[in-house]
Amino acid sequence: MSPLVSIAGLSVAFGGAPVLRGVDLALGKGEAVGLVGESGSGKSVTWLAALGLLPRHAKVSGSVRLDGRELLGAPAAELDRVRGGRIAMIFQDPASALNPVLTIRRQLCEALALHRDLQGEAVKAEAKRLLDLVGIPDAGRRLQAYPHEFSGGQVQRIMIAMALAGNPDLLIADEPTTALDATIQAQILELLSTIRREMSMAMVLISHDLGVVAENCDRVAVMYAGRIVEQAPSNQLFADPVHPYAQGLIGALPPLDGPRRRLTAIPGTVPDPAHMPGGCAFAPRCALAAEPCGLAAPSLALISDDRTVACIRAEASRRALLGIAAE
Amino acid sequence: MSAPLVEVSTISRSYSMRSGMFGRATAVHAVDGVSLTIAKGETLGLVGESGSGKSTTGRIVLGLEPPDSGAVRFDAKPMAAPGTAAWRAQRARMQMIFQDPLGALDRRLPVATQIREPLDIHGHGTPAEREERVRELLRAVELTPAHGARYPGALSGGQRQRIVLARALATKPDFLVCDEPVSALDVSIQAQVVNLLCDLQAQLGLTLLFISHDLRVVRQISNVVAVMYLGRIVEIGSADDLFARPEHPYTQALVSASPAPGRRSAGRIVLAGDPPNPAARPQGCAFHPRCPRATARCASEVPALSAVGGDRQVACHLVTGAQTRDAA
Ligand SMILES: Nc1ncnc2c1ncn2[C@@H]1O[C@H](COP(=O)(O)OP(=O)(O)OP(=O)(O)O)[C@@H](O)[C@H]1O
Ligand SMILES: Nc1ncnc2c1ncn2[C@@H]1O[C@H](COP(=O)(O)OP(=O)(O)O)[C@@H](O)[C@H]1O
Ligand code: SF4
Ligand code: SF4
Ligand SMILES: [Mg+2]
Ligand SMILES: [Mg+2]
């Protein structure tokens, strides 16, 4: 099956500092892919670049194809149709993405007018249907309200309704629940997965929370310093991470049950994009680093049918992991 | 269990809040009848959603703000009146660490100077001894004198939180209140700081009140955990047991809402309704509008926090002791 979106060699630099250094990622129709990694690893920039939303001074190269058509450098009119139409995006801070002085109805109807061939009463009916769909009680009346009259969780629901206005094939959800309390986060994630199933929409879920991604995605890509370092089906990644950084992330997560163990913290910090180490960017923090790691950045290579890892010592790392497990 | 260092008895605190320009002032019951004790050298974790009163409890325990009613005892003595010499002596034995390390540090001063500040204020030792103590504190939080010479802006989030920790430890306190100390940090850095906090606690025999909305981090570090909902403790018990067998319907929902790798969301308890609003606290059990098990009684009668067996206490009409625990 040909992918819905395929990203190849996507690179972005700001003022000479490389923040994306060749991202490769493909996404099938209806698939849910998670993107995890520390803050600053390039999760958001990947999709901002793909949709042409970065400031002009950003240097972007590589390729982003939607159904085979190149998006990078595409005419503005075409990008306008894609954004909010075939690909919609919701952000971490929902309040700032809504206009505080316009009613929810105005904002929903504007989004509908832009991307759907609907007129007059049909627009209003569709706006109400969308609010109903995302679980805003008393939707008909609440259309008249302004953003500040809704709670944080409800604002995020409204953002989801706006994103759905264009009937997208792909929804990019960038940290959609980070600002919300646990019980409200659970509501929003449940809503997202229900809608995704019903509309057979693909989704990229960006999160720094491994648990959130693991539970809601078929496949997970782990980013580090502007690259994807491991990519695998969710259950396999968490049961058997291969890249030392992916292993570190999972070991750093305190367990919620079973015996307590000392957390395996990854030493050091993420490299500054302006001073990226040569070779593997993770080498300064990697327990398995050896001389060849400093020579060239390892590229993503298949280790099984559906898994890729960017580590020259992937085999050694896997053995080390098994060794730890057997202890 | 060793003797308690901190004893909090039925503290309450409300604020008056005006909604809108001409709105009537309404009382926000931030904390309502909270009691807890923390044994010497142990950690009490306080969890709950935003606005449940965790930080307010922390500030009252530290004496940063007086309770409207109730009392706090520290090392078997009542808290001294703010501003007195006895208060300052007590305060030097307690410190607080916040979520935002950048906000807690002065951007215009090298961080070593800021670690030394409390020593200067309390007139500890000679200048040379203070310098040595600063180096010792930097070492304790696994940083070097070179880090100490930097300004906050030139350190990473995790490093800044270590500086804040070093400064809090400068006067050798017995008691630390940590309010969301690792919430702003990435997982890999969070683990560094959590490990460090555990090590320092073991080495120095610190007593901690650890506030966080992150159940995993709280379990990792706490002996006892208290769950707050709209200003009250709804469940309290030993950490591992509480998360393994939550009894209160709200704790059950919280634990179930915590995402876990290797588990799909099937079977999750998803609470309906909005997050709790402290300015409009429901009658009876404050959780009843969202509680999947609520009965008529819950809307009118406030459940008291009572022992249900073991060291567990639960405030729910339906959880009353042995029979429910066995059924779980
Ligand atoms: N100085 C104040 N004036 C008015 N209201 C206050 C004040 N301090 C706290 N409150 C209110 O008291 C309630 C409890 O606040 P508190 O900060 O203790 O919550 P919390 O559990 O720490 O929440 P979070 O997880 O968001 O930090 C909130 O509704 C808050 O707005
Ligand atoms: N508009 C911008 N100008 C300069 N640097 C930027 C800009 N947007 C993002 N960056 C940098 O790009 C890197 C990746 O950022 P981002 O994709 O937002 O990370 P995250 O993985 O947390 O989403 C970071 O170092 C960030 O500081
Ligand atoms: S390539 Fe080398 S340094 Fe990089 S992750 Fe693999 S072992 Fe570690
Ligand atoms: S007292 Fe009633 S409403 Fe409150 S938690 Fe128990 S069952 Fe639910
Ligand atoms: Mg981001
Ligand atoms: Mg707080």
Side-chain angles (χ1 to χ4, degrees):
Chain A
M1 196 176 73
S2 65
L4 175 68
V5 173
S6 73
I7 298 180
L10 183 62
S11 299
V12 172
F14 291 103
V19 303
L20 288 193
R21 303 176 307 125
V23 169
D24 299 315
L25 185 67
L27 196 77
K29 293 190 175 64
E31 193 185 17
V33 172
L35 204 51
V36 294
E38 328 220 357
S39 62
S41 57
K43 306 182 294 295
S44 303
V45 166
T46 298
W47 294 98
L48 293 173
L51 295 175
L53 290 171
L54 286 176
R56 206 160 315 180
H57 68 270
K59 272 216 158 37
V60 183
S61 62
S63 158
V64 178
R65 287 173 182 272
L66 172 64
D67 276 336
R69 282 184 62 88
E70 182 62 51
L71 291 184
L72 288 193
E78 183 175 342
L79 281 178
D80 277 339
R81 270 197 309 279
V82 169
R83 284 193 297 254
R86 301 209 49 204
I87 305 182
M89 194 157 176
I90 54 178
F91 298 94
Q92 171 168 358
D93 178 15
S96 65
L98 288 172
N99 186 334
V101 300
L102 298 182
T103 62
I104 297 305
R105 186 207 299 274
R106 261 295 282 289
Q107 302 189 53
L108 264 173
C109 289
E110 270 173 22
L112 285 166
L114 209 58
H115 296 290
R116 298 266 283 280
D117 195 15
L118 294 172
Q119 259 86 44
E121 283 307 306
V123 183
K124 288 184 187 159
E126 178 65 4
K128 176 176 175 303
R129 189 189 72 85
L130 286 172
L131 268 203
D132 268 331
L133 182 71
V134 297
I136 300 285
D138 198 9
R141 222 169 42 78
R142 298 293 273 161
L143 277 170
Q144 255 86 267
Y146 292 87
H148 74 266
E149 298 176 62
F150 294 88
S151 69
Q154 285 179 326
V155 170
Q156 195 56 287
R157 286 172 190 270
I158 292 166
M159 286 309 301
I160 294 172
M162 302 263 285
L164 298 178
N167 249 337
D169 298 311
L170 169 61
L171 177 67
I172 315 286
D174 191 353
E175 307 266 6
T177 58
T178 305
L180 304 174
D181 273 322
T183 61
I184 308 302
Q185 161 168 302
Q187 290 175 357
I188 298 294
L189 290 172
E190 188 181 65
L191 173 67
L192 277 176
S193 65
T194 313
I195 287 177
R196 199 177 71 75
R197 238 178 294 117
E198 282 171 8
M199 303 180 56
S200 48
M201 178 178 72
M203 177 172 74
V204 172
L205 182 60
I206 300 178
S207 178
H208 65 279
D209 188 325
L210 296 165
V212 164
V213 160
E215 279 189 16
N216 294 282
C217 298
D218 311 313
R219 202 150 55 82
V220 178
V222 181
M223 278 192 88
Y224 189 78
R227 286 182 154 223
I228 288 175
V229 295
E230 178 157 3
Q231 187 266 117
S234 303
N235 50 355
Q236 291 184 32
L237 181 81
F238 291 99
D240 166 35
V242 170
H243 193 280
Y245 174 66
Q247 293 178 357
L249 271 188
I250 290 163
L253 196 67
L256 196 54
D257 44 33
R260 287 188 222 184
R261 53 166 176 81
R262 188 174 173 79
L263 305 178
T264 49
I266 305 173
T269 53
V270 266
D272 175 355
H275 302 101
M276 206 49 86
C280 174
F282 188 59
R285 306 175 73 187
C286 181
L288 287 178
E291 210 175 307
C293 302
L295 298 180
S299 49
L300 271 178
L302 279 172
I303 58 160
S304 71
D305 293 351
D306 51 2
R307 299 189 65 170
T308 53
V309 176
C311 168
I312 55 169
R313 287 170 54 84
E315 258 319 298
S317 141
R318 193 163 203 167
R319 277 200 304 275
L321 181 77
L322 293 176
I324 291 167
E327 223 169 58
Chain B
M1 193 160 92
S2 62
L5 182 69
V6 177
E7 292 163 278
V8 175
S9 18
T10 51
I11 53 166
S12 295
R13 177 82 172 124
S14 47
Y15 302 101
S16 94
M17 195 182 71
R18 220 171 268 285
S19 56
M21 213 181 314
F22 306 106
R24 269 188 318 128
T26 48
V28 179
H29 296 280
V31 172
D32 187 13
V34 163
S35 299
L36 42 89
T37 59
I38 314 177
K40 277 195 180 112
E42 294 213 333
T43 299
L44 181 116
L46 206 50
V47 300
E49 286 173 284
S50 186
S52 57
K54 307 180 297 292
S55 301
T56 307
T57 302
R59 287 197 304 274
I60 294 174
V61 169
L62 271 186
L64 293 178
E65 142 168 20
D68 297 334
S69 61
V72 177
R73 291 169 71 81
F74 183 75
D75 210 4
K77 286 190 257 329
M79 292 291 280
T84 62
W87 180 77
R88 272 191 299 277
Q90 244 172 1
R91 276 309 317 274
R93 297 180 58 194
M94 342 172 159
Q95 289 295 337
M96 182 137 187
I97 295 173
F98 298 97
Q99 169 168 356
D100 171 24
L102 198 54
L105 294 170
D106 186 335
R107 287 162 197 261
R108 298 159 307 178
L109 291 177
V111 292
T113 310
Q114 305 190 50
I115 296 177
R116 206 185 55 221
E117 218 164 45
L119 300 172
D120 295 340
I121 291 171
H122 292 281
H124 278 261
T126 65
E129 282 164 352
R130 284 177 219 165
E131 282 306 320
E132 176 48 34
R133 175 88 180 122
V134 169
R135 274 194 295 277
E136 193 182 296
L137 286 162
L138 280 169
R139 248 195 323 275
V141 295
E142 293 157 13
L143 293 176
T144 64
H147 290 113
R150 296 197 204 164
Y151 291 84
L155 294 172
S156 71
Q159 290 169 337
R160 282 181 209 135
Q161 198 57 292
R162 288 160 196 264
I163 296 294
V164 171
L165 191 54
R167 184 177 61 183
L169 296 174
T171 55
K172 302 193 174 167
D174 302 304
F175 178 53
L176 281 186
V177 174
C178 307
D179 193 351
E180 305 272 8
V182 297
S183 304
L185 306 176
D186 273 313
V187 200
S188 76
I189 309 298
Q190 204 173 59
Q192 295 173 3
V193 176
V194 167
N195 282 347
L196 177 65
L197 213 49
C198 291
D199 293 347
L200 289 172
Q201 177 176 33
Q203 281 163 28
L204 308 174
L206 290 170
T207 305
L208 301 184
L209 175 61
F210 190 93
I211 298 172
S212 175
H213 66 280
D214 185 331
L215 303 189
R216 294 172 175 280
V217 170
V218 164
R219 187 184 101 117
Q220 182 71 16
I221 203 161
S222 306
N223 305 95
V224 175
V225 170
V227 182
M228 285 188 81
Y229 192 82
L230 285 179
R232 296 209 177 108
I233 292 180
V234 296
E235 181 159 12
I236 184 167
S238 77
D240 290 348
D241 187 47
L242 186 120
F243 289 130
R245 286 184 302 133
E247 300 271 8
H248 193 282
Y250 176 63
T251 317
Q252 290 173 345
L254 264 192
V255 171
S256 159
S258 180
R263 180 176 84 177
R264 279 276 176 163
S265 21
R268 155 156 310 163
I269 307 168
V270 176
L271 292 178
D274 277 345
N277 174 7
R281 194 168 61 187
Q283 295 289 307
C285 173
F287 183 55
H288 85 261
R290 303 174 78 197
C291 180
R293 295 166 62 190
T295 64
R297 184 181 173 202
C298 304
S300 57
E301 219 179 297
V302 182
L305 187 67
S306 44
V308 297
D311 63 354
R312 187 79 61 90
Q313 288 174 274
V314 178
C316 170
H317 295 309
L318 299 188
V319 184
T320 50
Q323 83 278 14
T324 30
R325 278 184 75 85
D326 291 342

